[in-house]
Coordinates of all heavy atoms in Angstrom, one line a residue:
H182 N 128.9 95.1 97.7 CA 129.9 95.8 97.0 C 129.7 97.3 96.9 O 128.5 97.7 97.2 CB 130.0 95.3 95.5 CG 130.4 93.8 95.4 ND1 131.7 93.4 95.4 CD2 129.6 92.7 95.3 CE1 131.7 92.1 95.3 NE2 130.4 91.7 95.3
S183 N 130.7 98.1 96.5 CA 130.5 99.5 96.3 C 131.4 100.0 95.2 O 132.4 99.3 94.9 CB 130.7 100.3 97.6 OG 132.1 100.3 97.9
E184 N 131.1 101.1 94.7 CA 132.0 101.7 93.7 C 131.8 103.3 93.7 O 131.0 103.8 93.0 CB 131.7 101.2 92.3 CG 132.7 101.7 91.2 CD 132.5 101.0 89.9 OE1 131.6 100.2 89.7 OE2 133.3 101.3 89.0
G185 N 132.6 103.9 94.6 CA 132.4 105.3 94.9 C 132.8 106.2 93.8 O 132.4 107.4 93.8
E186 N 133.6 105.7 92.8 CA 134.0 106.6 91.7 C 132.8 107.0 90.8 O 132.9 108.0 90.1 CB 135.0 105.9 90.8 CG 136.4 105.7 91.5 CD 137.3 104.9 90.6 OE1 137.0 104.5 89.5 OE2 138.5 104.8 91.1
Q187 N 131.7 106.3 91.0 CA 130.5 106.6 90.2 C 129.4 107.2 91.0 O 128.2 107.2 90.7 CB 130.0 105.4 89.5 CG 131.0 104.8 88.5 CD 130.3 103.8 87.6 OE1 129.5 104.2 86.7 NE2 130.7 102.5 87.7
A188 N 129.8 107.8 92.2 CA 128.8 108.4 93.1 C 127.9 109.4 92.4 O 126.7 109.5 92.8 CB 129.5 109.0 94.3
E189 N 128.4 110.2 91.5 CA 127.6 111.2 90.9 C 126.5 110.7 89.9 O 125.7 111.5 89.4 CB 128.5 112.2 90.2 CG 129.4 113.0 91.1 CD 130.2 114.0 90.5 OE1 129.9 114.5 89.4 OE2 131.3 114.4 91.0
L190 N 126.4 109.4 89.7 CA 125.3 108.9 88.9 C 124.0 109.1 89.6 O 122.9 109.1 89.0 CB 125.5 107.4 88.6 CG 126.6 107.1 87.6 CD1 126.6 105.6 87.3 CD2 126.4 107.8 86.3
L191 N 124.1 109.1 91.0 CA 122.9 109.1 91.8 C 123.2 109.8 93.1 O 123.7 109.1 94.0 CB 122.4 107.7 92.0 CG 121.0 107.4 92.5 CD1 120.0 107.8 91.5 CD2 120.8 105.9 92.8
W192 N 123.0 111.1 93.2 CA 123.5 111.7 94.5 C 122.8 113.0 94.8 O 122.1 113.6 93.9 CB 125.0 112.0 94.4 CG 125.5 113.1 93.5 CD1 124.9 113.7 92.5 CD2 126.7 113.9 93.8 NE1 125.6 114.8 92.0 CE2 126.7 114.9 92.8 CE3 127.7 113.8 94.7 CZ2 127.8 115.8 92.7 CZ3 128.8 114.8 94.6 CH2 128.8 115.7 93.6
V193 N 122.9 113.4 96.0 CA 122.5 114.7 96.5 C 123.7 115.5 96.8 O 124.5 115.2 97.7 CB 121.6 114.6 97.7 CG1 121.2 116.0 98.2 CG2 120.4 113.8 97.4
K194 N 124.0 116.6 96.1 CA 125.3 117.3 96.2 C 125.5 118.0 97.5 O 126.5 118.0 98.1 CB 125.4 118.3 95.1 CG 126.7 119.1 95.1 CD 126.8 120.1 93.9 CE 128.1 120.8 93.9 NZ 128.2 121.8 92.8
A195 N 124.4 118.6 98.0 CA 124.5 119.5 99.2 C 123.9 118.9 100.5 O 123.1 118.0 100.4 CB 123.9 120.9 98.9
G196 N 124.3 119.4 101.6 CA 123.7 119.0 102.9 C 124.7 118.3 103.8 O 124.4 118.2 105.0
G197 N 125.8 117.9 103.2 CA 126.9 117.2 104.0 C 128.0 118.2 104.3 O 127.9 119.4 104.1
S198 N 129.1 117.7 104.9 CA 130.2 118.5 105.3 C 130.9 119.2 104.2 O 131.4 120.3 104.4 CB 131.2 117.7 106.1 OG 131.8 116.7 105.3
R199 N 130.9 118.7 103.0 CA 131.5 119.3 101.9 C 130.8 120.6 101.4 O 131.4 121.6 101.0 CB 131.7 118.3 100.7 CG 132.4 119.0 99.5 CD 132.5 118.0 98.3 NE 133.5 116.9 98.7 CZ 133.8 115.9 97.9 NH1 133.2 115.8 96.7 NH2 134.6 115.0 98.3
C200 N 129.5 120.5 101.4 CA 128.6 121.6 101.0 C 127.4 121.7 101.9 O 126.3 121.3 101.5 CB 128.2 121.4 99.5 SG 127.2 122.7 98.8
P201 N 127.6 122.2 103.1 CA 126.5 122.2 104.1 C 125.4 123.1 103.7 O 124.2 122.8 104.0 CB 127.2 122.6 105.4 CG 128.4 123.3 105.0 CD 128.9 122.7 103.7
V202 N 125.7 124.3 103.1 CA 124.7 125.2 102.7 C 124.8 125.4 101.2 O 125.8 126.0 100.7 CB 124.9 126.6 103.4 CG1 123.8 127.6 103.0 CG2 124.8 126.4 104.9
P203 N 123.9 124.9 100.4 CA 124.0 125.0 98.9 C 123.9 126.4 98.4 O 123.1 127.3 98.9 CB 122.8 124.2 98.5 CG 121.8 124.2 99.5 CD 122.6 124.3 100.8
A204 N 124.7 126.7 97.4 CA 124.5 128.0 96.7 C 123.2 128.1 95.9 O 122.6 129.1 95.9 CB 125.7 128.2 95.8
D205 N 122.8 127.0 95.4 CA 121.6 126.8 94.7 C 120.7 125.9 95.5 O 121.1 124.7 95.8 CB 121.8 126.2 93.3 CG 120.6 126.0 92.5 OD1 119.4 126.1 93.0 OD2 120.7 125.7 91.3
P206 N 119.5 126.3 95.9 CA 118.6 125.5 96.7 C 118.4 124.1 96.1 O 118.1 123.1 96.8 CB 117.3 126.3 96.8 CG 117.7 127.7 96.6 CD 118.9 127.6 95.6
R207 N 118.4 124.0 94.8 CA 118.1 122.7 94.1 C 119.3 121.7 94.3 O 119.1 120.5 94.1 CB 117.9 122.9 92.7 CG 116.6 123.6 92.4 CD 116.1 123.4 91.0 NE 114.8 124.0 90.8 CZ 114.0 123.8 89.7 NH1 114.5 123.1 88.7 NH2 112.8 124.3 89.6
E208 N 120.4 122.1 94.8 CA 121.5 121.2 95.1 C 121.3 120.3 96.3 O 122.0 119.3 96.5 CB 122.8 122.0 95.3 CG 123.3 122.7 94.1 CD 124.6 123.4 94.3 OE1 125.0 123.7 95.5 OE2 125.3 123.8 93.3
R209 N 120.2 120.5 97.0 CA 119.8 119.6 98.1 C 118.9 118.5 97.7 O 118.5 117.7 98.4 CB 119.2 120.4 99.3 CG 117.8 120.9 99.1 CD 117.3 121.5 100.3 NE 115.8 121.7 100.3 CZ 114.9 120.8 100.6 NH1 115.3 119.6 101.0 NH2 113.6 121.1 100.5
Y210 N 118.6 118.5 96.3 CA 117.7 117.4 95.8 C 118.5 116.4 95.0 O 119.7 116.6 94.6 CB 116.7 118.1 94.8 CG 115.7 119.0 95.5 CD1 115.5 120.3 95.0 CD2 115.0 118.6 96.6 CE1 114.6 121.1 95.6 CE2 114.1 119.4 97.2 CZ 113.9 120.7 96.7 OH 113.0 121.5 97.3
L211 N 117.9 115.2 94.9 CA 118.6 114.1 94.2 C 118.7 114.4 92.7 O 117.8 114.9 92.1 CB 117.7 112.8 94.4 CG 118.2 111.6 93.7 CD1 119.4 111.0 94.5 CD2 117.1 110.5 93.5
V212 N 119.9 114.0 92.2 CA 120.1 114.1 90.8 C 120.4 112.6 90.3 O 121.2 111.9 91.0 CB 121.3 115.0 90.4 CG1 121.7 114.9 88.9 CG2 121.0 116.4 90.8
M213 N 119.8 112.2 89.2 CA 119.9 110.8 88.8 C 120.2 110.7 87.3 O 119.4 111.3 86.5 CB 118.7 110.0 89.2 CG 118.7 108.6 88.8 SD 117.2 107.7 89.4 CE 115.9 108.5 88.4
Q214 N 121.2 110.0 86.9 CA 121.4 109.7 85.5 C 120.8 108.4 85.2 O 121.4 107.3 85.3 CB 122.9 109.7 85.2 CG 123.6 111.1 85.5 CD 125.1 111.1 85.1 OE1 125.5 110.4 84.2 NE2 125.9 111.8 85.9
G215 N 119.5 108.5 84.8 CA 118.7 107.3 84.8 C 119.1 106.1 83.9 O 119.1 105.0 84.3
T216 N 119.6 106.4 82.7 CA 120.0 105.4 81.8 C 121.2 104.6 82.3 O 121.2 103.4 82.3 CB 120.3 106.0 80.4 OG1 119.2 106.7 79.9 CG2 120.7 104.9 79.4
S217 N 122.2 105.3 82.8 CA 123.4 104.7 83.4 C 123.0 103.9 84.6 O 123.5 102.7 84.8 CB 124.4 105.7 83.7 OG 124.9 106.4 82.6
V218 N 122.2 104.4 85.4 CA 121.7 103.7 86.7 C 121.0 102.4 86.3 O 121.2 101.3 86.9 CB 120.9 104.6 87.5 CG1 120.2 103.8 88.7 CG2 121.7 105.7 88.1
F219 N 120.2 102.5 85.3 CA 119.4 101.3 84.8 C 120.4 100.2 84.4 O 120.2 99.0 84.9 CB 118.5 101.7 83.7 CG 117.6 100.6 83.2 CD1 116.3 100.6 83.6 CD2 118.0 99.5 82.4 CE1 115.4 99.6 83.2 CE2 117.2 98.5 82.0 CZ 115.9 98.5 82.4
R220 N 121.3 100.5 83.6 CA 122.3 99.5 83.1 C 123.1 98.9 84.3 O 123.3 97.7 84.4 CB 123.2 100.1 82.1 CG 122.6 100.4 80.7 CD 123.6 100.5 79.7 NE 124.5 101.7 80.0 CZ 124.3 102.9 79.5 NH1 123.3 103.1 78.7 NH2 125.1 103.9 79.8
Q221 N 123.6 99.8 85.1 CA 124.4 99.3 86.3 C 123.6 98.4 87.2 O 124.0 97.4 87.7 CB 124.9 100.5 87.1 CG 126.0 101.3 86.4 CD 127.4 100.8 86.7 OE1 127.5 99.7 87.3 NE2 128.4 101.6 86.4
A222 N 122.3 98.8 87.5 CA 121.5 98.1 88.4 C 121.2 96.7 88.0 O 121.4 95.7 88.7 CB 120.1 98.8 88.6
C223 N 120.9 96.5 86.7 CA 120.6 95.2 86.2 C 121.8 94.3 86.2 O 121.8 93.1 86.7 CB 120.1 95.3 84.7 SG 118.6 96.1 84.5
A224 N 123.0 94.8 85.8 CA 124.2 94.0 85.8 C 124.7 93.7 87.2 O 125.1 92.5 87.4 CB 125.3 94.8 85.0
R225 N 124.7 94.6 88.1 CA 125.2 94.4 89.4 C 124.4 93.5 90.3 O 124.8 92.7 91.0 CB 125.5 95.8 90.1 CG 126.4 96.7 89.4 CD 127.8 96.1 89.2 NE 128.8 97.1 88.9 CZ 130.1 96.8 88.7 NH1 130.5 95.6 88.7 NH2 130.9 97.8 88.4
M226 N 123.0 93.7 90.2 CA 122.1 92.8 90.9 C 122.2 91.4 90.5 O 122.2 90.5 91.3 CB 120.7 93.4 90.8 CG 120.5 94.6 91.6 SD 118.9 95.4 91.3 CE 117.7 94.2 91.9
A227 N 122.3 91.2 89.2 CA 122.5 89.8 88.6 C 123.8 89.2 89.0 O 123.8 88.1 89.5 CB 122.3 89.9 87.1
E228 N 124.9 90.0 89.0 CA 126.2 89.5 89.3 C 126.2 89.1 90.8 O 126.8 88.1 91.2 CB 127.2 90.7 89.1 CG 128.6 90.5 89.6 CD 129.4 91.8 89.4 OE1 129.6 92.2 88.2 OE2 129.7 92.5 90.4
S229 N 125.7 89.9 91.7 CA 125.7 89.7 93.1 C 124.8 88.5 93.4 O 125.1 87.6 94.3 CB 125.2 90.9 93.9 OG 125.7 90.9 95.2
S230 N 123.7 88.4 92.7 CA 122.8 87.3 93.0 C 123.4 85.9 92.6 O 123.3 84.9 93.3 CB 121.5 87.4 92.1 OG 120.8 88.6 92.6
R231 N 124.2 85.9 91.5 CA 124.9 84.7 91.1 C 125.9 84.3 92.1 O 126.1 83.1 92.4 CB 125.6 84.9 89.7 CG 124.6 85.0 88.5 CD 125.4 85.0 87.2 NE 124.5 85.4 86.1 CZ 124.5 86.6 85.6 NH1 125.3 87.5 86.0 NH2 123.7 86.9 84.6
A232 N 126.5 85.3 92.7 CA 127.6 85.0 93.7 C 127.0 84.3 94.9 O 127.5 83.3 95.4 CB 128.2 86.3 94.2
V233 N 125.8 84.8 95.5 CA 125.3 84.1 96.6 C 124.7 82.8 96.3 O 124.7 81.9 97.1 CB 124.3 85.0 97.4 CG1 124.9 86.3 97.9 CG2 123.1 85.4 96.5
L234 N 124.1 82.6 95.1 CA 123.6 81.3 94.7 C 124.7 80.3 94.7 O 124.6 79.2 95.2 CB 122.9 81.4 93.3 CG 121.6 82.2 93.3 CD1 121.2 82.4 91.8 CD2 120.5 81.5 94.0
E235 N 125.8 80.7 94.1 CA 127.0 79.8 94.0 C 127.5 79.4 95.4 O 127.7 78.3 95.7 CB 128.1 80.4 93.2 CG 129.3 79.5 93.1 CD 130.4 80.1 92.2 OE1 130.2 81.2 91.6 OE2 131.5 79.5 92.1
Q236 N 127.6 80.4 96.3 CA 128.1 80.2 97.7 C 127.1 79.3 98.4 O 127.6 78.5 99.3 CB 128.2 81.5 98.4 CG 129.4 82.4 97.9 CD 129.4 83.8 98.5 OE1 129.4 83.9 99.7 NE2 129.4 84.8 97.7
A237 N 125.8 79.4 98.2 CA 124.9 78.6 98.9 C 124.7 77.2 98.3 O 124.0 76.4 98.9 CB 123.5 79.4 99.0
G238 N 125.2 77.0 97.1 CA 125.0 75.8 96.4 C 123.6 75.6 95.8 O 123.1 74.5 95.6
W239 N 122.9 76.8 95.6 CA 121.6 76.8 95.0 C 121.8 76.9 93.4 O 122.6 77.6 93.0 CB 120.8 77.9 95.4 CG 120.2 77.8 96.8 CD1 120.6 77.0 97.8 CD2 119.3 78.7 97.4 NE1 120.0 77.2 99.0 CE2 119.1 78.3 98.8 CE3 118.5 79.8 96.9 CZ2 118.2 78.9 99.6 CZ3 117.6 80.4 97.8 CH2 117.5 80.0 99.1
M240 N 120.9 76.2 92.7 CA 120.8 76.5 91.3 C 119.7 77.6 91.1 O 118.9 77.8 91.9 CB 120.4 75.2 90.6 CG 121.3 74.0 90.8 SD 122.9 74.3 90.1 CE 122.6 74.2 88.4
V241 N 119.8 78.2 89.9 CA 118.8 79.2 89.6 C 117.4 78.6 89.7 O 116.5 79.3 90.2 CB 119.1 79.8 88.2 CG1 117.9 80.7 87.8 CG2 120.3 80.7 88.2
G242 N 117.3 77.4 89.2 CA 116.0 76.8 89.3 C 115.4 76.5 90.7 O 114.2 76.2 90.8
D243 N 116.3 76.6 91.7 CA 115.9 76.4 93.1 C 115.1 77.6 93.6 O 114.4 77.5 94.6 CB 117.1 76.1 94.0 CG 117.8 74.8 93.7 OD1 117.1 73.9 93.2 OD2 119.0 74.7 93.9
V244 N 115.3 78.8 93.0 CA 114.7 80.0 93.5 C 113.2 80.1 93.2 O 112.8 80.0 92.0 CB 115.4 81.2 92.9 CG1 114.8 82.5 93.4 CG2 116.9 81.2 93.3
D245 N 112.4 80.2 94.2 CA 111.0 80.4 94.1 C 110.6 81.8 93.9 O 109.6 82.1 93.1 CB 110.3 79.8 95.3 CG 110.5 78.3 95.4 OD1 110.1 77.5 94.5 OD2 111.1 77.9 96.5
R246 N 111.2 82.7 94.6 CA 110.9 84.1 94.5 C 112.1 85.0 94.5 O 113.0 84.8 95.3 CB 110.0 84.5 95.7 CG 108.6 83.8 95.8 CD 107.7 84.3 94.7 NE 106.4 83.6 94.7 CZ 106.1 82.6 94.0 NH1 107.0 82.0 93.1 NH2 104.9 82.1 94.1
F247 N 112.1 86.0 93.6 CA 113.1 87.0 93.5 C 112.6 88.3 94.0 O 111.7 88.9 93.4 CB 113.6 87.1 92.1 CG 114.6 88.3 91.9 CD1 115.7 88.4 92.6 CD2 114.3 89.3 90.9 CE1 116.6 89.5 92.4 CE2 115.1 90.3 90.7 CZ 116.3 90.4 91.5
V248 N 113.1 88.8 95.2 CA 112.7 90.1 95.7 C 113.8 91.1 95.6 O 114.7 91.1 96.4 CB 112.3 89.9 97.2 CG1 111.7 91.2 97.8 CG2 111.3 88.8 97.4
G249 N 113.8 91.8 94.5 CA 114.8 92.8 94.2 C 114.3 94.2 94.7 O 113.1 94.4 95.0
H250 N 115.3 95.1 94.8 CA 114.9 96.5 95.2 C 113.9 97.0 94.2 O 114.1 96.9 93.0 CB 116.2 97.3 95.2 CG 115.9 98.8 95.2 ND1 115.1 99.4 96.2 CD2 116.3 99.8 94.4 CE1 115.1 100.7 96.0 NE2 115.8 101.0 94.9

Side-chain angles (χ1 to χ4, degrees):
H182 297 275
S183 73
E184 190 172 1
E186 292 179 355
Q187 299 194 68
E189 292 183 26
L190 289 183
L191 195 66
W192 78 331
V193 178
K194 181 177 180 180
S198 62
R199 179 179 295 180
C200 182
V202 181
D205 179 348
R207 291 197 171 191
E208 291 180 344
R209 74 175 191 86
Y210 294 129
L211 180 78
V212 174
M213 179 175 67
Q214 297 183 37
T216 302
S217 296
V218 169
F219 186 101
R220 288 198 298 265
Q221 289 267 12
C223 296
R225 299 303 195 181
M226 287 170 65
E228 171 188 292
S229 203
S230 295
R231 291 190 192 100
V233 295
L234 289 171
E235 181 177 355
Q236 292 173 52
W239 288 13
M240 303 297 290
V241 170
D243 294 329
V244 176
D245 296 299
R246 295 292 181 263
F247 171 57
V248 185
H250 166 55

